[in-house]
Amino acid sequence: MNYLRPLAFSLALGFLSLNASCQGKLSPVSTSNGNNKKDIRSAKADVKLDQIKLPAGFKIDVWAADVPNARSMAISDNGIVFVGNRQEKNVYALVDENADGKADYKFILAEGLRMPNGVAYKNGDLYVAEVNRILRFKDIKNNLTTPKFEVVYDGYPTDGHHGWKFIAFGPDGMLYVPVGAPCNICEKENPIYASITRLDVSKPGAKPEVYASGVRNTVGFAWHPQSKELWFTDNGRDMMGDDVPDCELNRATAKGQHFGYPYWHAGTVKDPEFGSKGKEASAYVAPAAKMGAHTAPLGMRFYQGGMFPTTYKNNAIIAKHGSWNRSKKSGYEVVLAKIDASGKVTGQEVFASGWLNPATQDVWGRPVDVQELPDGSLLISDDMANCIYRVTYAK
């Protein structure tokens, strides 16, 4: 009798099991019924998925429809996806109860808020950013049908211009909250404008401190999985022409750095109105990568899953929302920024495109944010098509 064959077979099964567990998987999520719970299994999105171009082996589907103005996303430890929005005043929780790769139910967690764009999850609690307030929904996964919030901080500026916020927790446990410039181009005495702040939400009465300055309007950031450095997108100023200045991907290596606004843009473009009031370009941190003029790069994540090819690991996937004031539209795509071990961006390539028809200039969707699911697939929110897509990969 050959005793090695069953042993080899057993080892192979163990390897396959280990490999599967490393890749992760979707798990069922059980939720209660309530008045704020809506069945969206039969909801349809007005999309043209046949026009989306992806690399070989990738596939895109609608993960959740009927999500008005779907913007920034966050995910709980058990796979509940939270979604903020900028125009509809609501915050949602989306649940895939049967783990089939599509959302089944939508919970309305809050209504009537002011631009509740930002959502973040930590230790069972959901945090939501309005223009001037940070809200906390305690133990949210056990209170989806009876959501209540408390105000953590309400001292941020009330300006609506660039007032909507993306928020996320950093490796230091602090909540990072940007404050956009309240204008296209201006200089404000209050240092909290055009910045990224951080707030210790664990301490009652804590106030934000400025972490990075000279940031016109970031609506997406993440920390590199290895270096733990903060990377963020930044939208360039308007009214300087179709191709000037570039939007930016930035890298903050320490607290206190200044990234140029309103004096310099994209590292080398001196502002015609405020450039002479600032220092030389070398005094400010230049972007890690230029991302095209008016492309509006927003949400970004460093890919960490096991589903996509290994070449995606630790690289940044970034949603470009698209231009609004360019003679020929730009953006409206999702890109991959490749970053080497030293933290240098070695290249950018289009990952998903097709929301914009360059020939006709017609647009039917606008990517906003990206969020990885436990199985390594990728969600992409779309505030124009009012839905969230899921991108999967199979060899």
Side-chain angles (χ1 to χ4, degrees):
M1 183 176 179
N2 188 346
Y3 292 98
L4 295 178
R5 182 172 297 174
L7 176 61
F9 181 71
S10 177
L11 289 173
L13 283 178
F15 174 78
L16 289 173
S17 176
L18 177 61
N19 190 49
S21 65
C22 289
Q23 289 187 5
K25 63 179 182 179
L26 301 178
S27 299
V29 180
S30 178
T31 60
S32 302
N33 293 324
N35 294 331
N36 67 333
K37 182 179 182 180
K38 182 178 180 181
D39 189 336
I40 58 172
R41 288 174 292 183
S42 60
K44 302 295 182 184
D46 185 12
V47 296
K48 303 174 183 178
L49 295 187
D50 59 315
Q51 296 183 9
I52 300 296
K53 297 179 181 178
L54 293 161
F58 287 89
K59 180 184 178 184
I60 187 169
D61 295 290
V62 173
W63 184 76
D66 189 22
V67 189
N69 195 235
R71 295 277 295 184
S72 298
M73 297 181 287
I75 189 168
S76 72
D77 46 5
N78 66 333
I80 300 171
V81 175
F82 304 101
V83 187
N85 64 51
R86 179 181 139 196
Q87 296 176 345
E88 298 294 329
K89 304 179 182 180
N90 297 346
V91 177
Y92 303 106
L94 303 174
V95 179
D96 177 4
E97 287 203 346
N98 58 4
D100 67 346
K102 290 184 182 296
D104 300 309
Y105 297 97
K106 176 181 72 176
F107 292 83
I108 301 176
L109 302 181
E111 300 177 277
L113 300 180
R114 188 183 180 204
M115 296 184 186
N117 183 87
V119 287
Y121 181 85
K122 182 178 175 63
N123 296 334
D125 299 336
L126 173 67
Y127 294 79
V128 174
E130 292 185 277
V131 171
N132 69 306
R133 300 195 303 177
I134 303 298
L135 314 177
R136 175 166 50 208
F137 295 73
K138 287 189 174 180
D139 192 21
I140 188 61
K141 65 183 179 182
N142 294 314
N143 292 283
L144 291 175
T145 58
T146 55
K148 296 179 181 179
F149 66 78
E150 60 185 13
V151 177
V152 176
Y153 181 74
D154 63 358
Y156 281 106
T158 59
D159 308 76
H161 197 127
H162 296 151
W164 54 94
K165 294 169 169 51
F166 176 96
I167 59 174
F169 282 94
D172 55 6
M174 305 274 273
L175 183 67
Y176 284 67
V177 183
V179 179
C183 54
N184 172 38
I185 184 77
C186 59
E187 186 179 34
K188 292 290 185 179
E189 291 185 6
N190 189 340
I192 203 169
Y193 286 109
S195 76
I196 299 176
T197 72
R198 61 182 179 181
L199 179 67
D200 188 348
V201 296
S202 69
K203 295 181 179 179
K207 295 183 178 180
E209 63 173 349
V210 173
Y211 184 81
S213 303
V215 182
R216 180 177 178 269
N217 183 36
T218 178
V219 197
F221 44 81
W223 286 262
H224 193 279
Q226 296 173 322
S227 69
K228 308 303 180 184
E229 293 172 339
L230 173 64
W231 289 68
F232 62 93
T233 58
D234 194 11
N235 287 205
R237 69 157 289 181
D238 299 314
M239 309 307 173
M240 287 184 67
D242 271 6
D243 301 314
V244 179
D246 278 86
C247 294
E248 305 171 8
L249 175 62
N250 289 288
R251 173 191 178 196
T253 57
K255 177 188 172 184
Q257 294 175 317
H258 195 295
F259 291 83
Y261 177 90
Y263 315 112
W264 291 86
H265 312 287
T268 57
V269 178
K270 190 173 185 178
D271 189 82
E273 297 178 58
F274 294 94
S276 60
K277 297 182 179 181
K279 303 175 183 178
E280 293 300 314
S282 59
Y284 307 106
V285 181
K290 299 178 181 181
M291 305 206 72
H294 310 295
T295 60
L298 301 185
M300 62 167 286
R301 297 289 193 283
F302 288 99
Y303 186 75
Q304 287 291 282
M307 178 183 287
F308 291 8
T310 55
T311 52
Y312 285 78
K313 196 86 167 185
N314 297 330
N315 287 323
I317 301 177
I318 305 168
K320 290 185 176 181
H321 195 227
S323 60
W324 66 271
N325 66 338
R326 199 170 183 271
S327 61
K328 287 190 176 181
K329 295 182 176 70
S330 60
Y332 305 93
E333 61 189 9
V334 178
V335 300
L336 177 72
K338 296 183 176 181
I339 302 169
D340 66 16
S342 69
K344 180 181 178 181
V345 177
T346 59
Q348 298 180 59
E349 60 187 44
V350 176
F351 174 68
S353 63
W355 290 278
L356 163 68
N357 185 322
T360 64
Q361 291 289 283
D362 291 332
V363 174
W364 60 266
R366 305 187 74 180
V368 178
D369 195 13
V370 293
Q371 174 65 58
E372 191 177 315
L373 286 180
D375 67 341
S377 60
L378 185 76
L379 299 183
I380 303 172
S381 61
D382 185 332
D383 65 350
M384 182 177 182
N386 302 312
C387 70
I388 297 174
Y389 313 99
R390 177 173 175 248
V391 178
T392 55
Y393 176 80
K395 292 182 180 179

